[in-house]
Amino acid sequence: MFFVKNCKYLIARPLKNLLKIKRWNSQLRVTITKEKIKQGPGLKEFLYDTTDVSIERPYIPYLPENVQWKHKRKIYFDVYGCQMNINDTDIVWSILKNEGFERTENEDEADIFLVMTCAIREGAENKIWHRLDHLRGFKRRRAISKDKNIPVKIGILGCMAERLKEKLIEKEKAVDVVAGPDSYRDLPRLLALTDNGQTAVNVLLSLDETYADVVPVRLNQDSISAFISIMRGCDNMCTYCIVPFTRGRERSRPAASIVDEVKQLRDQGVKELTLLGQNVNSYRDLSQPDARNDTRLAEGFKTVYKAKKGGLRFADLLDQVSAVDPEMRIRFTAAHPKDFPDEVLQVISERANICKLVHLPAQSGSSAVLQRMRRGYSREAYLTLARHIRRTLPGVGLSTDMICGFCGETEEEFQETLTLMDLVGYNVAFLFPYSMREKTTAYRRYKDDVPEEVKKNRHNRMLELYRTRCQLLNKEEIGCVHLVLVEGTNKKTGQIVGRNELYIKVVFNQEDILAEDGGRRQVKPGDYVAVKILAAKSSVLSGQLLYHTSLSEFYREFSWGDRKIARVNC
Ligand code: SAH
Ligand code: SF4
Ligand code: F3S
């Protein structure tokens, strides 16, 4: 077997304009778009004989020996997309910080722009193309400015990078690096390659990368909230969704490394933690013994892929994570309805610090559409589950994601989405018009036949119903006392902003209020306070600050299900 060596010359040889090389150790695909050196040695020069035991580690001359930059290079991060991208950016920053890179929040100081991207809908990608227009101009201006001789580099990371691969560089010439969600460890090297004017692409997906040993460094160190990805990828293959193609196969991060990170975050003062996975219900730490029997899917639910067996489940992880600090609020998302176990509901009911808000994405209210979407449940099965959750966790809030205008959706089918939304009464909902994505089953099998204006109209109707319904739900809270975790101050109004258990924004005026030690003090980010709700809009509640408290103290007084008792007490 032979390995490729001396790639510097191989890369630079005039093999058309585009040359791809598979690297021996990481199967890195390096795409070189510039023809720099006209002549080079023959193929023999690039091969190592692995049977030669005298070679300890092949010398790879195409990589700069010293990837430590001569000058400190400052990175500017742009983050688009879901919460997972926030956590991924923290992972990237941790990797690059370790390599001596610096960070800036000022564009003018930046040497490298790293854009963490999303590919979920066309609109999400359009935002990134606009940003790239701006960065291209910035790069050009910097190239002709006298005071800066370090060329600006642009790296595209994340799901759009994975979806478009080298096409991204072909379409947007200003881009230097393209790195998919599983290749962030490679970033220092990919960036080093660009020092010679090359472009570098690594979009290989992995079966086991979870970055378990990388301690993310949060971009926003002052935030009292943090995200932890407990798993990566998705095997569900909903027919509309690009995620399985951009994030690869589902894999879970070992529970021990998650719990360690939770402890570190607690030590940094984090008060609210969201556990992230495309479907947390299929979390399995296979390095742990099987503590539970494998439960079958409930009646009315099915799955397209073979569920993994054994290992530690999400309910056990939730139990361990919530036990780290009873004062730390724990949230999680997303929980696919098809395999929602009772054990998870049990842990939620036992732990005051696990927020009683379940994100149960329905996607549609029509069984026929759900079948075309390959969601694995019918409208009836979803409603039965929603009722079961409400019965098990009195006072629980439900949130959802919904898509309108999916392939073949009729007006009647859309009406079923509206009636489902009305029946369930979601506290929080994320509503989207369908956007056809290449590669998905829907792209191959169905027609994107709902006209844009119909999608827009349905989207508006969904939004209107949601707002009206939310306003009514929120109005019911007037007079109740909510436990609010303070996040900060609204710069415009000067009011304090926090979130209640259901993740609804609560605003109130700053005041000196009674503290736990009997004294009085103002509120600051990270404080738990009791707030009496006085007014409600569809997405924000406003109230009167009452007193400082703690999570355990508050729920000793008012159990979550009975929290309306607080209305009487105050
Ligand atoms: N794993 C999560 C979803 C992640 S993507 C889950 O199953 O809930 C977030 C949301 O984007 C999805 O829930 C879906 O509502 C929406 N979405 C995904 N693909 C879409 C598409 N092609 N068009 C419109 N919305 C889409
Ligand atoms: Fe996409 Fe479905 Fe996976 Fe969610 S569960 S990421 S919607 S394929
Ligand atoms: Fe977007 Fe990728 Fe998240 S497509 S929604 S950034 S998983």
Side-chain angles (χ1 to χ4, degrees):
M1 188 208 222
F2 292 95
F3 290 135
V4 174
K5 66 170 184 174
N6 253 356
C7 293
K8 187 160 124 198
Y9 301 105
L10 182 59
I11 282 163
R13 293 193 78 188
L15 292 175
K16 298 193 189 149
N17 233 5
L18 210 76
L19 182 63
K20 290 172 187 172
I21 294 168
K22 278 214 161 165
R23 220 191 117 221
W24 63 276
N25 60 348
S26 67
Q27 294 175 292
L28 164 72
R29 190 147 33 115
V30 181
T31 307
I32 303 303
T33 55
K34 286 186 185 156
E35 189 186 289
K36 279 194 123 187
I37 303 171
K38 296 285 176 208
Q39 296 297 325
L43 186 65
K44 263 201 311 191
E45 294 294 317
F46 303 102
L47 302 175
Y48 270 98
D49 182 353
T50 53
T51 55
D52 182 352
V53 288
S54 64
I55 302 170
E56 256 187 13
R57 188 171 178 274
Y59 164 59
I60 310 165
Y62 71 90
L63 297 176
E65 271 176 68
N66 181 4
V67 287
Q68 298 289 325
W69 304 86
K70 286 180 211 87
H71 26 256
K72 290 274 182 207
R73 306 211 83 185
K74 287 195 175 154
I75 303 174
Y76 184 101
F77 286 99
D78 268 320
V79 189
Y80 294 86
C82 64
Q83 295 156 329
M84 244 173 216
N85 271 4
I86 298 177
N87 188 236
D88 275 9
T89 312
D90 296 345
I91 289 170
V92 167
W93 174 221
S94 167
I95 291 166
L96 293 175
K97 195 167 184 251
N98 252 338
E99 293 288 331
F101 287 82
E102 290 179 355
R103 190 184 149 224
T104 177
E105 290 177 69
N106 177 354
E107 273 193 9
D108 291 324
E109 283 179 12
D111 305 303
I112 300 170
F113 286 87
L114 291 182
V115 189
M116 184 61 84
T117 62
C118 174
I120 201 84
R121 283 168 291 274
E122 202 183 332
E125 289 196 357
N126 285 343
K127 272 194 216 154
I128 294 155
W129 288 119
H130 281 132
R131 177 66 181 153
L132 283 175
D133 283 346
H134 169 78
L135 291 181
R136 190 193 320 117
F138 189 89
K139 189 172 177 172
R140 204 183 312 121
R141 282 195 299 281
R142 179 72 72 77
I144 53 170
S145 83
K146 291 198 183 78
D147 48 327
K148 270 275 181 187
N149 54 8
I150 308 169
V152 168
K153 302 292 174 192
I154 300 175
I156 305 296
L157 319 179
C159 291
M160 187 175 163
E162 190 64 49
R163 188 177 91 75
L164 293 172
K165 303 185 172 51
E166 46 278 280
K167 276 193 229 142
L168 232 164
I169 293 183
E170 285 161 29
K171 189 163 172 202
E172 177 49 79
K173 298 276 186 299
V175 170
D176 303 279
V177 167
V178 176
D182 288 345
S183 61
Y184 298 146
R185 287 180 200 271
D186 226 3
L187 269 172
R189 213 159 52 91
L190 295 172
L191 286 169
L193 281 168
T194 68
D195 224 15
N196 301 330
Q198 301 171 359
T199 52
V201 179
N202 184 351
V203 285
L204 280 168
L205 288 170
S206 155
L207 288 177
D208 53 11
E209 177 64 274
T210 58
Y211 299 106
D213 57 322
V214 178
V215 180
V217 179
R218 289 184 304 139
L219 290 194
N220 185 357
Q221 293 280 331
D222 299 333
S223 173
I224 51 126
S225 307
F227 302 105
I228 299 189
S229 297
I230 60 165
M231 48 208 301
R232 300 182 75 82
C234 181
D235 285 348
N236 284 309
M237 301 298 276
C238 302
T239 56
Y240 52 82
C241 185
I242 191 72
V243 173
F245 302 91
T246 60
R247 296 220 161 227
R249 299 303 300 269
E250 180 190 286
R251 63 220 103 118
S252 300
R253 179 179 160 186
S257 95
I258 297 170
V259 172
D260 278 353
E261 196 179 322
V262 175
K263 288 179 182 160
Q264 287 172 27
L265 290 168
R266 174 203 54 199
D267 297 344
Q268 290 169 22
V270 166
K271 286 289 183 61
E272 183 182 63
L273 198 67
T274 308
L275 306 177
L276 304 173
Q278 298 301 346
N279 175 19
V280 292
N281 286 336
S282 53
Y283 175 89
R284 273 166 199 265
D285 176 358
L286 296 170
S287 66
Q288 298 283 321
D290 188 0
R292 298 174 188 272
N293 285 327
D294 276 308
T295 41
R296 290 169 56 120
L297 294 187
E299 211 181 305
F301 294 93
K302 59 177 191 281
T303 183
V304 287
Y305 74 97
K306 230 173 146 193
K308 294 181 181 82
K309 294 217 175 306
L312 186 124
R313 310 299 150 76
F314 182 58
D316 306 306
L317 179 73
L318 204 50
D319 179 55
Q320 291 185 20
V321 166
S322 58
V324 169
D325 182 353
E327 287 301 310
M328 192 189 247
R329 261 185 181 171
I330 309 295
R331 302 183 184 278
F332 61 89
T333 188
H336 199 301
K338 75 180 163 56
D339 47 10
F340 207 111
D342 275 351
E343 289 86 346
V344 170
L345 297 178
Q346 180 69 29
V347 182
I348 301 175
S349 72
E350 286 166 5
R351 292 286 160 84
N353 61 335
I354 305 179
C355 290
K356 309 291 179 282
L357 173 70
V358 176
H359 185 62
L360 197 67
Q363 311 297 0
S364 169
S366 148
S367 296
V369 174
L370 287 167
Q371 194 167 11
R372 289 203 292 283
M373 288 177 161
R374 210 197 266 140
R375 284 293 287 180
Y377 51 86
S378 61
R379 172 191 174 93
E380 292 69 34
Y382 181 92
L383 282 170
T384 306
L385 175 65
R387 274 193 295 269
H388 175 62
I389 294 176
R390 284 211 193 284
R391 263 201 309 273
T392 318
L393 299 172
V396 72
L398 290 177
S399 63
T400 193
D401 291 353
M402 287 286 191
I403 298 175
C404 65
F406 183 58
C407 307
E409 186 189 71
T410 60
E411 174 59 26
E412 291 68 37
E413 287 168 343
F414 172 66
Q415 291 281 345
E416 290 188 272
T417 295
L418 295 182
T419 55
L420 183 104
M421 286 175 66
D422 206 27
L423 273 170
V424 178
Y426 294 106
N427 301 83
V428 182
F430 303 93
L431 311 171
F432 311 104
Y434 173 61
S435 166
M436 175 71 100
R437 310 311 283 142
E438 265 180 59
K439 284 194 185 163
T440 57
T441 308
Y443 178 80
R444 285 182 276 113
R445 216 182 270 174
Y446 305 135
K447 254 181 113 177
D448 185 14
D449 53 1
V450 178
E452 278 313 306
E453 62 276 14
V454 176
K455 281 185 192 167
K456 216 171 177 181
N457 171 278
R458 289 181 188 169
H459 188 218
N460 286 336
R461 283 153 69 197
M462 270 164 117
L463 284 168
E464 202 174 311
L465 171 72
Y466 165 58
R467 286 195 198 113
T468 316
R469 203 67 179 74
C470 259
Q471 178 133 19
L472 286 176
L473 281 172
N474 285 347
K475 274 204 165 132
E476 282 177 23
E477 300 300 315
I478 292 175
C480 294
V481 176
H482 285 205
L483 177 70
V484 176
L485 177 59
V486 176
E487 287 182 352
T489 308
N490 180 318
K491 286 198 184 99
K492 265 195 205 150
T493 62
Q495 280 196 301
I496 306 295
V497 184
R499 301 247 175 204
N500 71 6
E501 179 139 359
L502 300 189
Y503 206 63
I504 295 173
K505 208 181 261 181
V506 184
V507 297
F508 43 87
N509 292 329
Q510 176 66 282
E511 268 179 66
D512 265 347
I513 47 166
L514 190 64
E516 298 90 327
D517 60 5
R520 295 183 81 81
R521 66 174 174 86
Q522 294 207 327
V523 303
K524 57 178 184 353
D527 283 351
Y528 283 110
V529 287
V531 177
K532 183 170 179 174
I533 305 303
L534 300 176
K537 291 191 189 154
S538 59
S539 61
V540 59
L541 301 168
S542 45
Q544 166 75 49
L545 249 179
L546 296 177
Y547 51 86
H548 285 276
T549 184
S550 67
L551 197 150
S552 339
E553 188 57 42
F554 186 84
Y555 287 126
R556 246 194 301 280
E557 201 175 349
F558 310 120
S559 86
W560 169 250
D562 303 332
R563 75 197 189 289
K564 288 199 171 71
I565 296 169
R567 196 201 308 253
V568 184
N569 291 358
C570 299

